Amino acid sequence: MPSRQYTVQSPFFDSLADLDSWSDNFTHSLIPYPSRRHPSTQGRLLVCHDFHGGYSEKPDETTYTFNFWSLCDTFIYFSHHRVTIPPSGWISSAHRQGVKMLGTLIFEHQESESDCLRLLFGRLPASKTGPAAPPFVETSGVPVSPHYARLLANIAHQRGFDGYLLNFEWHLHADGGIGQARALTAWVALLQVELKAKVGPHAEAIWYDSVIFNGQVRWQDRLNHYNLPFFLPSTGFFTNYTWSPDYPSLTAQYFLSLDPLLISTQSHISSAKTLQDIYTGIDVWGRGCHGGGGLGSYRAIEHIDPVSLGLSVAMFGPGWTWETIQNDPGFSWSSWWEAERRLWIGPADPDETVIVPPMPMPGPPCQHGPFRPFSDFFTSHTPPDPALIPFCTTFSPGVGFAWFVNSAKVMAPTEAGWTDIDKQGALGDRLWPRPTLQWEDREGLGEAVPEAASSLHFDDAWLGGNSLRVTFGVKGSDAEDAFFRCVWLPVQSLSVTPLLQYTARVIFKALPMGETPVDIDVGLTIKCPGSTLEVSTISATEELPGDWTRQMLTFARPESQKDEPVTVGLVIGFATEDPSQMLQFSILLGQLAVYPATPPPLPHLCIASPRILWADFQREGEGKSGVLTWEIAATFPPISLPTAISSPDDPTPLWCFDRSDHAFPSCAYFNIYAGAALDGPTKATFLGTTGLDGRANRFYVDWEVLPNVVKGMKETRFYVQGVTDRGEVLEWEQCAFVDAPG
């Protein structure tokens, strides 16, 4: 939760000359991309984000955020600048969910023509230069330099994103057009090689359907002979949106007619192209798009048929849900969230009939059934294995109105709220559009399962800006044993490594409601279809401040179910003296975390603990504003040596360390406070969090926006408080302060 819009160095570039002058010496703190499992024959979903032209996020108000990462494989941050660099918060949020994040390289309008040539010629020298001698053999007039391919790959590597959408929407004229077009396809091949070398084998260079073989901009709306030369060197193909209903099947037929040698690869880091690499475009705004866009977008997806036909979908402009209603009377974030949920996962009320606008005319006659949400067409993927990236969520959609730290409200609510994509987390894929409850040890009695509804709750939280509220409605029962009943509430599905020990932790709060008294008992549980998990440790319930409760357990999945995800959830028992009466209660979910368990005890094993080693503050120029920096380190418990050193042949080490990938402590972000030196950290004023600019261990302090209580201090002490990637707030003795010079 930032306190202001911090300056981000070179968030985009308007020309290739600007790109040439780029240098970035800062260390970026971004989550690397982790792969996740995906079925091999089903089409994928690519989302292209074009919201208010890009870079419109403001930290001091709520705005559009994307939250359905589980349905998406690739996300493109789009703007109309020459080179669009995705903001760091978007990169981290996508990677946290196992989604690739791409930037954009765009050439549109006549003013881009010179830059489009410069892309191929490379950086231009300041000196007079030319060929040493006339060529013996006539060559094309358009050379291909690797300069910008290398530079674009370098910046993707340094900024932590995964490639580019290549959008060329101006005619190519050099060497008759066809010569420049051929050179451009060779450059795309160079870019792909550079990206895979610098970013990794998962890197993408996706071509948008615009320029064809002769250099002219002629949108084809499908893959065909005219644009095939651009598809072959790229990793994917994004078709235009104005296609006829038969175009997806024509695209599939054309692809299947290609010589397998054409779509194979000789590279050890690339795989042969498949139908899933062709993304058929849909404009959610409906501009020339079959079905009319918006709530009618499902009509277009039915023709693409990602499940049976195998083509992928490119969804352009999903911010439609916000931009079309943001000026309506009574608009709020909650009203947008209702509209967004309806489009992506369906209405909260299963009995609601979604009204879909009629098919736009003119157009070919086409019959479609009632509304279908996007989730009907795509597999919901689990987040990356917590062995790769610890799974931790506070169920944040990336916006909020206040800020909580260990249940304490350190920032009072504001009407405008805030946006910080970096703080976004999984919302619990088993809770939307509504939870699916099951009786626990009560099957076969014919009793109706309680009703449940999920909502984001901004008035109370354990950590961050909100919690997730699940409200239960239980009908009265005359059964003899109805005084105590239990239900299973699935919350989040996860892929885990068989036989590896994991720790799961939940922080929750039970809230009785209604007139009938009810006692609520909650237990953290992990389930896996068709097998029994090995649960080795179950912690006692720990009471936390603010009436929150923490539970933990350690589990492992058997080898026999290695391809099945596990489900983290709660078994909720409720007891009442009069079960014939309707019961109502809520559970607030404040945090859910799953991560590799502490290694089994070894002789003299030393477990690292995080600590902020030091903090520093340097003013900018003559003013009072400046930059906070700090360093995080690992600390270990006191070492205890035996009174006498044993034989040199003793195989037991005097100490040893956890050597797993996540043994060294890591922080997801840091809370920043300011106060008087004598008052201590508990009375300091919260300023904000890191994460917006993506830089590691750095916070810009703008004196002009500091609270008046801080401005009035004669001497200011800044406190840096870490929050680990497992969601644990460091104790103050593990944190650091720095005094600002007077």
Side-chain angles (χ1 to χ4, degrees), residues 7 252 456 546 626 708:
T7 301
L456 298 175
N708 290 330

Side-chain angles (χ1 to χ4, degrees), residues 436-505:
T436 303
L437 302 181
Q438 297 176 5
W439 287 119
E440 185 76 3
D441 299 328
R442 198 177 174 82
E443 299 294 339
L445 297 181
E447 187 174 337
V449 177
E451 296 180 352
S454 298
S455 61
L456 298 175
H457 186 64
F458 295 97
D459 295 333
D460 194 5
W462 171 251
L463 184 63
N466 67 280
S467 55
L468 192 148
R469 183 170 190 153
V470 182
T471 303
F472 299 81
V474 186
K475 294 181 179 179
S477 173
D478 295 326
E480 292 182 359
D481 59 350
F483 68 92
F484 180 78
R485 288 166 284 178
C486 288
V487 292
W488 158 245
L489 171 67
V491 175
Q492 178 69 48
S493 55
L494 289 171
S495 295
V496 296
T497 302
L499 305 181
L500 182 65
Q501 292 279 329
Y502 293 85
T503 294
R505 184 182 69 241

Side-chain angles (χ1 to χ4, degrees), residues 29-34 36 57 64-75 77 86-102 159-162 381-384 389-399 419-427 668 691-692 694:
S29 178
L30 294 171
I31 297 172
Y33 169 76
R36 64 186 185 189
E57 299 85 7
Y64 174 87
T65 59
F66 181 73
N67 288 278
F68 300 102
W69 300 103
S70 64
L71 301 174
C72 174
D73 286 271
T74 303
F75 192 98
Y77 194 90
S88 60
W90 286 88
I91 298 170
S92 291
S93 189
H95 287 180
R96 199 175 286 125
Q97 303 284 343
V99 175
K100 299 177 187 178
M101 176 61 67
L102 308 186
R159 296 289 180 88
F161 61 99
D162 308 300
H381 303 292
T382 60
I389 293 180
F391 174 85
C392 182
T393 181
T394 56
F395 306 97
S396 170
V399 304
T419 298
D420 186 358
I421 308 296
D422 181 71
K423 304 305 180 293
Q424 192 181 63
L427 299 184
L692 188 65

Side-chain angles (χ1 to χ4, degrees), residues 498-741:
L499 305 181
L500 182 65
Q501 292 279 329
Y502 293 85
T503 294
R505 184 182 69 241
V506 67
I507 297 176
F508 64 90
K509 179 187 293 190
L511 298 175
M513 299 166 56
E515 298 179 357
T516 305
V518 57
D519 293 327
I520 305 167
D521 183 49
V522 179
L524 175 63
T525 306
I526 317 291
K527 294 192 176 185
C528 182
S531 69
T532 301
L533 296 177
E534 177 190 341
V535 178
S536 56
T537 303
I538 301 178
S539 72
T541 297
E542 181 182 358
E543 300 301 327
L544 301 173
D547 296 326
W548 291 91
T549 300
R550 173 164 51 207
Q551 287 186 2
M552 299 174 64
L553 61 79
T554 301
F555 72 94
R557 190 183 65 184
E559 176 70 26
S560 59
Q561 297 292 323
K562 63 181 181 179
D563 294 326
E564 289 290 339
V566 301
T567 300
V568 185
L570 303 176
V571 171
I572 302 169
F574 46 93
T576 181
E577 293 182 359
D578 186 0
S580 65
Q581 299 297 311
M582 174 78 175
L583 298 179
Q584 288 184 306
F585 60 90
S586 292
I587 301 292
L588 295 187
L589 295 173
Q591 187 182 85
L592 180 65
V594 179
Y595 46 86
T598 301
L602 293 171
H604 311 300
L605 177 65
C606 299
I607 301 297
S609 298
R611 177 187 172 187
I612 300 174
L613 197 59
W614 52 259
D616 186 37
F617 179 75
Q618 296 294 325
R619 293 201 188 280
E620 279 190 341
E622 299 298 325
K624 293 186 176 182
S625 299
V627 176
L628 276 171
T629 56
W630 55 89
E631 185 62 81
I632 184 171
T635 59
F636 302 94
I639 189 168
S640 177
L641 291 176
T643 54
I645 302 299
S646 59
S647 164
D649 295 321
D650 187 344
T652 303
L654 292 172
W655 63 79
C656 63
F657 299 99
D658 176 8
R659 298 192 300 273
S660 63
D661 293 341
H662 298 283
F664 197 87
S666 175
C667 283
Y669 63 91
F670 299 85
N671 296 318
I672 309 299
Y673 303 79
L678 297 179
D679 289 343
T682 58
K683 295 183 179 180
T685 300
F686 176 75
L687 300 183
T689 71
T690 61
L692 188 65
D693 63 1
R695 295 177 187 170
N697 302 356
R698 180 184 186 274
F699 184 88
Y700 181 75
V701 178
D702 186 341
W703 188 262
E704 296 300 320
V705 301
L706 288 180
N708 290 330
V709 65
V710 177
K711 289 182 180 180
M713 296 175 182
K714 293 183 179 180
E715 295 181 356
T716 305
R717 174 167 288 184
F718 294 106
Y719 295 92
V720 181
Q721 180 187 58
V723 180
T724 73
D725 55 5
R726 300 176 182 187
E728 298 166 325
V729 179
L730 298 188
E731 300 292 340
W732 284 118
E733 54 265 28
Q734 298 172 280
C735 302
F737 74 86
V738 59
D739 291 327

